[in-house]
Amino acid sequence: MTATVKYDEVEVGQELPAKTYKVERLDLIKYAGASGDFNPIHWNEPFAKSVGLPDVIAHGMFTMAQGGRYVTDWAGDPGAVVDYGVRFSSMVVVPNDGGTEIEITGVIEDKRDDNTVVVALTARSRGEKVLTRAKATVRLA
């Protein structure tokens, strides 16, 4: 596969459409199974609250994965992402009733001569920024 987004069709400063990802407790349980991270703060509400958390929280890497999903959905090819990194700035709290959402937006921050672009991401949950310095380098067609 190659990216479906064309290098010649993007410009620095271009905003990517926002996308919202629903997060429910079942998603965290599935992620725990896939990642091997069964820390009870990610699935056991009484335990999470007993250690001072407001509720169950999403795995940081789950949150990061949603940013990666956003970029690969936009590019049209998971293999187009050549670099991706974030810093975690806040927790994604996932209540039992209704779960929560992570909203992700992006902007083309840099356009390089090698057909790559740098996409700066913003991820928010419940109005709080949950990822900072989130950037992906993507090779476009």
Side-chain angles (χ1 to χ4, degrees):
M1 281 180 81
T2 58
T4 57
V5 176
K6 306 291 185 231
Y7 176 80
D8 294 335
E9 296 173 356
V10 299
E11 296 300 328
V12 171
Q14 180 179 334
E15 294 182 11
L16 282 55
K19 188 149 186 183
T20 301
Y21 299 94
K22 182 80 174 154
V23 184
E24 297 187 15
R25 295 251 178 109
L26 180 58
D27 299 313
L28 304 183
I29 293 166
K30 290 177 183 177
Y31 187 82
S35 69
D37 181 353
F38 291 99
N39 187 323
I41 64 172
H42 302 304
W43 57 271
N44 184 313
E45 184 175 334
F47 181 84
K49 289 180 175 181
S50 78
V51 296
L53 296 171
D55 209 326
V56 165
I57 62 169
H59 303 74
M61 296 303 286
F62 175 89
T63 305
M64 182 180 181
Q66 300 317 300
R69 176 180 173 192
Y70 173 82
V71 173
T72 60
D73 287 351
W74 169 75
D77 175 14
V81 177
V82 296
D83 189 43
Y84 177 50
V86 307
R87 292 204 180 200
F88 304 107
S89 56
S90 189
M91 298 174 285
V92 175
V93 178
V94 185
N96 192 44
D97 294 331
T100 195
E101 294 178 336
I102 300 171
E103 182 185 55
I104 303 177
T105 58
V107 63
I108 306 295
E109 183 177 84
D110 191 16
K111 189 171 178 180
R112 300 175 176 167
D113 293 335
D114 63 353
N115 274 43
T116 63
V117 295
V118 176
V119 180
L121 305 171
T122 300
R124 296 185 180 281
S125 181
R126 298 176 174 230
E128 267 192 73
K129 203 174 202 185
V130 294
L131 298 177
T132 59
R133 298 186 188 173
K135 294 183 185 204
T137 303
V138 184
R139 186 170 313 286
L140 300 178

